[in-house]
Amino acid sequence: MTDPASYRPQAGEIPTSPGVYRFRDPHGRVIYVGKAKSLRSRLNSYFANPAGLLPKTHAMVHTASSVEWTVVGSELESLQLEYTWIKEFKPRFNVVFRDDKTYPYLALTMGEKFPRVQVMRGDRRKGTRYFGPYTAGAIRETMDTLLRVFPVRSCSPGVLKRAQASGRPCLLGYIDKCAAPCVGRVTPEEHRALAEDFCSFMGGEAKRFIARLAKDMSAAVAELDYERAARLRDDISALRKVFERNAVVLAEDTEADIFALHEDELEAAVQVFHVRGGRVRGQRGWVVEKVEDSSTPDLVEHLLQQVYGDDGDSHGRLPREVLVPVQPSNSADLAEWLGGLRGAKVDIRVPQRGDKAALMSTVRENAEHALKLHKTRRAGDLTVRSQALQELQEALDLPVALLRIECYDVSHVQGTNVVASMVVVEDGLPKKSDYRKFSVTGAAAADDTAAMHDVLTRRFRHYLLDKTAQVESSQLPDPGPAPADADNVVPDTTTPAPRNRFAYPPNLVVVDGGKPQVNAAARALADLGIDDVYVVGLAKRLEEVWLPGSEFPVILPRSSQGLYLLQRIRDEAHRFAITFHRQKRGKAMTVSALDGVPGLGEAKRKALLARFGSVKSIKTASATELMYAKGIGHSLAASIVSHFAAAGSAGDAVPTINVTTGEILET
């Protein structure tokens, strides 16, 4: 690794002007491109204290061997130059948005003599009009339907040349799905007019064409030309089918791209809906590995740069509005740059209310599902799981294979309703039947470390008890051979005892937290005399892995499958703990005057309330009257009467209240 001090520029060499800088490795390859309002301030931040940099930035400055910069006249110029260099050099340490799938577009090659309609993927070409993106099935159906009304050429150049040479059209020409310009059925000008109509229809002028065909159909009926009227009727039906495929979600003059993202500590998923003519015409998605020091506005800025810059000729496809979840960095300069690509003003804004904000929430939900699907696919692959377990074992220097991993998390709100969760992963997959929940009370609920010590102690005390019980059962004396008299033999109809819940110890215990939580967990195992279970902690801030007694954490590479596995386990433990905490908190939201009656459970409380209607009526009822309620016997009725008599004499008549709002629920 390179020492950053070896290539640090001298003091005063770096200008204070805005500009763009590049880090290069020893082979001269550009590994990072960035921009800054002040080059001196920004570059000095890399060299002032390299040890304090975030992991990926630390790796970048130690991989590089030189840095160079270019001064520009304004922040807009720096934005343009940064994008140009990122596209040219594809630096490994920059954020790169990669499509999570390849989307097809419906394209017309308007630059050719006979424009051709086709399905295209990949890089954009000049002189070609694009519509979409679409899903693979929808685009084929749309194209086939529209060729009935707009019979534009769709054959390859080879088929076109053969038709021109032979003087006979291809099959599409015979079935009226091509105007056959190759054999002179229509002139090049007439064929181009068809292509222009095709583009106009796809561009949002569908109602105009449908109205024109309806007028022609009425005229044909008036002339008694029913055959032509029937063809026009079928054409109208075909156009309406395409037109109505996309539901109207916004006003018909809306031209917008709506972006949303969902991110965690390692990755971000982005989704965009393309709205044209008020209809969602297409959808795209990306999943990107995050850079530690990049904020959400930075992500949005790089996203818009790459999406619209990579589209090549954006004129006619970049919309009037770009709706984003947060304003990107350098929003004004970015809007000016996009306006230059479009040839008209582009408005970048965050929708706050109304239909656009509602659609934004739908796009955000799609992004959330996309990230979950991405992580599920990672977790579901056997090879990836095996690689993750092996990487984790090697990184932590463990002598045993990680066949079973347990993860613990503590959840509470300001020290109330403290709970903990235990989730289990075997062979890299969750084993939900072994998940456990813990309620933490008393001194153990004082703080997170005490709660973690208590939970680990309880869990592994059960394990030791189960282990002892198994040893004792295996040492029982042999009952001996069966009696010789077969007629007196009683068949063994007993079922095996169920397996104890904590019979299997894990190879690795993961706790959600840093050094204090790890040391508390290790101390709990040491107090029980358990020395064959290893403990690590995963801290959320920088995804550091802590070992017991260690002064420094283990830093796993951001692309490590082992880190992905730890993160998934930690997130699952957090989800499970939060769910249990909310359930417990919900039950604690109400208290009742009936709660303190000995022997009166929930079912009998409901029976009393169903019989008497309120707690007030129950308080005034006699023991004989109480016995009319289902499940209330003589002794319990007497207990209820004496309880309320004692409460009344002590002035403790407590109604049922909501402890959060103070609202009286039962009187």
Side-chain angles (χ1 to χ4, degrees):
M1 297 179 69
T2 308
D3 182 3
S6 64
Y7 64 92
R8 178 176 182 172
Q10 296 296 320
E13 287 185 349
I14 309 175
T16 58
S17 307
V20 183
Y21 55 91
R22 294 180 288 187
F23 281 87
R24 293 183 181 269
D25 65 9
H27 302 285
R29 292 174 296 194
V30 176
I31 60 173
Y32 185 75
V33 173
K35 68 179 187 302
K37 295 180 181 179
S38 171
L39 285 169
R40 179 180 299 178
S41 175
R42 180 59 173 161
L43 289 177
N44 281 339
S45 69
Y46 290 105
F47 299 103
N49 182 20
L53 296 173
L54 295 172
K56 191 163 185 176
T57 310
H58 182 276
M60 186 272 291
V61 298
H62 284 81
T63 302
S65 63
S66 64
V67 62
E68 57 192 34
W69 56 84
T70 298
V71 175
V72 296
S74 66
E75 292 183 37
L76 175 60
E77 291 181 21
S78 69
L79 179 73
Q80 295 170 328
L81 184 58
E82 181 195 33
Y83 166 72
T84 302
W85 280 356
I86 289 175
K87 185 175 182 181
E88 178 181 355
F89 299 115
K90 296 180 173 57
R92 54 179 291 201
F93 286 97
N94 280 91
V95 174
V96 178
F97 288 85
R98 296 182 176 89
D99 251 332
D100 55 2
K101 56 179 73 70
T102 302
Y103 292 90
Y105 285 79
L106 196 60
L108 271 91
T109 57
M110 301 301 291
E112 298 183 14
K113 179 181 178 181
F114 299 122
R116 176 191 178 193
V117 59
Q118 59 183 315
V119 176
M120 295 183 69
R121 302 173 186 260
D123 295 336
R124 309 296 190 267
R125 303 174 186 174
K126 289 187 177 180
T128 301
R129 298 283 302 276
Y130 293 88
F131 303 95
Y134 294 91
T135 58
I139 193 171
R140 299 290 178 184
E141 184 178 352
T142 298
M143 179 176 163
D144 186 67
T145 303
L146 290 179
L147 287 179
R148 174 189 180 92
V149 184
F150 307 106
V152 182
R153 168 196 159 221
S154 60
C155 60
S156 65
V159 173
L160 177 66
K161 289 180 180 179
R162 286 196 297 271
Q164 288 174 327
S166 65
R168 295 192 304 272
C170 63
L171 176 63
L172 293 176
Y174 282 112
I175 62 175
D176 294 329
K177 285 195 173 181
C178 177
C182 53
V183 295
R185 285 188 185 174
V186 295
T187 64
E189 292 75 18
E190 291 172 335
H191 184 265
R192 181 167 293 276
L194 279 174
E196 292 288 355
D197 287 346
F198 190 107
C199 292
S200 298
F201 180 86
M202 294 301 298
E205 299 183 29
K207 286 188 174 181
R208 177 169 67 87
F209 286 98
I210 293 175
R212 188 182 71 185
L213 290 178
K215 184 177 180 180
D216 292 344
M217 182 179 68
S218 299
V221 171
E223 296 172 1
L224 304 182
D225 190 353
Y226 297 115
E227 185 176 350
R228 180 168 177 267
R231 287 198 303 269
L232 291 171
R233 176 202 60 199
D234 294 341
D235 289 348
I236 293 172
S237 176
L239 290 184
R240 282 178 175 163
K241 182 179 180 182
V242 174
F243 179 67
E244 294 171 358
R245 180 170 291 133
N246 299 311
V248 176
V249 293
L250 299 173
E252 290 192 3
D253 61 344
T254 302
E255 306 285 332
D257 285 347
I258 304 178
F259 291 86
L261 59 87
H262 183 74
E263 56 185 314
D264 59 17
E265 293 83 358
L266 296 178
E267 294 177 303
V270 180
Q271 290 282 314
V272 57
F273 280 13
H274 301 280
V275 178
R276 301 295 184 268
R279 286 173 160 76
V280 178
R281 299 293 186 182
Q283 175 189 5
R284 295 173 72 183
W286 301 263
V287 175
V288 62
E289 180 185 346
K290 293 173 59 179
V291 179
E292 291 93 332
D293 57 354
S294 63
S295 61
T296 301
D298 292 333
L299 277 176
V300 174
E301 177 187 322
H302 288 294
L303 170 68
L304 299 185
Q305 276 184 300
Q306 295 183 34
V307 169
Y308 295 120
D310 288 345
D311 279 351
D313 178 17
S314 297
H315 181 71
R317 288 180 293 106
L318 208 160
R320 293 191 297 268
E321 285 184 293
V322 176
L323 307 181
V324 291
V326 297
Q327 280 291 353
S329 304
N330 299 323
S331 179
D333 293 329
L334 188 60
E336 185 178 347
W337 179 63
L338 294 178
L341 293 178
R342 181 173 181 262
K345 182 180 177 182
V346 174
D347 186 18
I348 302 175
R349 63 187 188 87
V350 180
Q352 300 295 334
R353 60 184 65 85
D355 293 340
K356 292 178 182 177
L359 185 56
M360 171 73 78
S361 66
T362 301
V363 183
R364 187 182 302 113
E365 184 178 353
N366 277 265
E368 182 178 351
H369 288 308
L371 188 60
K372 287 182 180 178
L373 179 61
H374 173 74
K375 290 182 175 294
T376 301
R377 286 173 175 171
R378 278 184 178 275
D381 184 83
L382 177 61
T383 304
V384 173
R385 295 203 313 270
S386 301
Q387 179 186 352
L389 293 171
Q390 183 177 355
E391 284 185 7
L392 201 54
Q393 181 183 351
E394 293 174 353
L396 302 177
D397 195 23
L398 301 180
V400 296
L402 301 178
L403 301 180
R404 179 182 172 102
I405 303 174
E406 293 179 1
C407 184
Y408 297 82
D409 184 30
V410 175
S411 179
H412 59 86
V413 174
Q414 297 181 346
T416 62
N417 298 312
V418 183
V419 300
S421 66
M422 178 187 103
V423 302
V424 181
V425 169
E426 290 189 356
D427 296 327
L429 291 175
K431 189 177 181 183
K432 295 193 174 184
S433 60
D434 285 5
Y435 284 15
R436 296 292 180 267
K437 299 178 289 189
F438 300 85
S439 292
V440 184
T441 57
D447 55 48
D448 284 359
T449 55
M452 189 65 71
H453 184 279
D454 176 70
V455 170
L456 268 293
T457 300
R458 290 158 58 187
R459 183 266 181 266
F460 284 96
R461 186 186 293 131
H462 278 293
Y463 157 62
L464 293 177
L465 292 174
D466 293 343
K467 183 179 179 180
T468 302
Q470 288 181 359
V471 172
E472 291 176 352
S473 64
S474 65
Q475 294 176 349
L476 292 176
D478 189 350
D485 187 359
D487 293 336
N488 295 327
V489 174
V490 178
D492 183 9
T493 59
T494 60
T495 57
R499 187 179 299 277
N500 293 309
R501 294 186 302 169
F502 293 103
Y504 297 108
N507 306 109
L508 178 68
V509 166
V510 180
V511 298
D512 181 16
K515 189 175 179 179
Q517 287 81 3
V518 172
N519 290 337
R523 190 170 63 253
L525 295 178
D527 292 345
L528 294 173
I530 298 174
D531 57 3
D532 57 348
V533 176
Y534 300 91
V535 181
V536 299
L538 184 62
K540 286 182 179 177
R541 190 173 72 89
L542 296 177
E543 303 297 331
E544 307 150 324
V545 180
W546 287 89
L547 301 177
S550 176
E551 290 296 324
F552 301 99
V554 176
I555 304 297
L556 297 178
R558 300 286 285 186
S559 59
S560 166
Q561 295 296 335
L563 179 59
Y564 281 120
L565 177 61
L566 283 181
Q567 187 195 27
R568 286 195 299 270
I569 299 172
R570 188 269 315 280
D571 291 346
E572 176 68 357
H574 184 65
R575 179 200 64 80
F576 197 49
I578 285 290
T579 302
F580 181 41
H581 169 74
R582 287 172 178 167
Q583 291 173 350
K584 187 174 182 180
R585 187 178 63 191
K587 290 181 179 179
M589 294 291 280
T590 57
V591 294
S592 172
L594 298 174
D595 290 344
V597 180
L600 187 63
E602 183 179 356
K604 292 179 181 178
R605 285 200 300 268
K606 290 181 178 179
L608 282 171
L609 290 171
R611 175 74 182 179
F612 293 94
S614 68
V615 175
K616 183 177 181 180
S617 299
I618 297 173
K619 290 179 181 180
T620 58
S622 65
T624 303
E625 292 172 331
L626 291 174
M627 291 173 60
Y628 284 104
K630 182 179 179 181
I632 306 298
H634 177 74
S635 59
L636 183 55
S639 178
I640 296 172
V641 171
S642 61
H643 171 80
F644 284 118
S649 62
D652 268 346
V654 181
T656 300
I657 62 171
N658 186 308
V659 297
T660 300
T661 64
E663 177 187 1
I664 298 177
L665 302 179
E666 297 174 5
T667 58

